[in-house]
Amino acid sequence: MKIVSKAVLIGFFGMFIVSCEGEDGVNGIDGQAGVDGVSGENGINGENGVNGVGFEELTKYGAVTLNISGTRSDNVDFTHAGELKFTHNESGNNDVEFNDPNVNYSVVRFVNSPDSHDNSSVRLNLTVNDAGLSTQNFGFFVNFNGYSIISDDLKYFEISAGYADSNTSVSNFSITEYSFDEMTNNLKYTFTMTVAGANNITGNDMIISGTVDVIVLESLGRGPR
């Protein structure tokens, strides 16, 4: 009987404790965020890839840089900077010709590796009259072949035209920093000209300038065919 009484008493006491439990309290305030860890070090840059076969052969004779600016036919201003560094060995495309006291340079450079489907190029003919004399002066002609000017708004136009310093549409023409090293055949010069809008595809005045830094070749003539 005592055992039963104790069991009843223990059960009653347990029920009393359960019934006296209070409601959950309000959640405490979140703790402060921990400090971020230290960033890891950047990895080492990978090595540049090897140029493709033929790259050095097509670019070893130097390059022409171009800067063209103006207003497009839709009245949006544009600026363009490009480098043409590809050539090939067809005669007349990378030549120097001496006709004392004059010297003529003919240089062609392509946007990409030239092939039958790529005509995007520029030809630069520079004649130095009375070379090295006090009367030295220049004659110049630049010809664009399918040269595209692409703007950030994904619109473009193509220049396929030639401009000579003697053209009435050309103004502000100049040749500066001209030099020719007879030991290395390294030709250098800069040029600039303004082409009137009536004579270019934009319909507005267009400024064309560039820097030439190339190696030219001297022909020994052609053999019989």
Side-chain angles (χ1 to χ4, degrees), residues 32-69:
Q32 295 182 351
V35 178
D36 291 339
V38 178
S39 300
E41 296 181 358
N42 292 331
I44 299 173
N45 292 331
E47 296 181 359
N48 292 331
V50 178
N51 291 325
V53 175
F55 179 85
E56 292 186 3
E57 286 78 7
L58 292 170
T59 60
K60 65 182 179 180
Y61 294 126
V64 173
T65 58
L66 285 177
N67 293 281
I68 306 174
S69 61

Side-chain angles (χ1 to χ4, degrees), residues 72 74 76 150-156:
R72 302 185 320 204
D74 58 356
V76 174
I150 303 173
S151 299
D152 291 339
D153 61 1
L154 304 182
K155 296 181 181 180
Y156 78 98

Side-chain angles (χ1 to χ4, degrees), residues 7-21:
V8 172
L9 181 61
I10 291 170
F12 176 78
F13 184 70
M15 292 175 62
F16 176 76
I17 291 173
V18 171
S19 64
C20 290
E21 289 182 356

Side-chain angles (χ1 to χ4, degrees), residues 55 59 62-67 80-86 109-113 120-122 147 210-211 213-214:
F55 179 85
T59 60
V64 173
T65 58
L66 285 177
N67 293 281
H80 168 82
E83 182 180 27
L84 297 90
K85 55 188 176 183
F86 296 90
R109 290 295 181 272
F110 291 80
V111 173
N112 298 301
S113 176
S120 187
S121 64
V122 60
Y147 191 84
T211 300
D213 186 353
V214 298

Side-chain angles (χ1 to χ4, degrees), residues 22 28-29 34 48 63 75 80 83 128 132 139 141 147 158 162 164 168 179 207 214 216:
I29 299 172
N48 292 331
N75 293 321
H80 168 82
E83 182 180 27
V128 184
F141 175 74
Y147 191 84
E158 183 179 279
T168 56
S179 68
I207 300 173
V214 298
V216 290

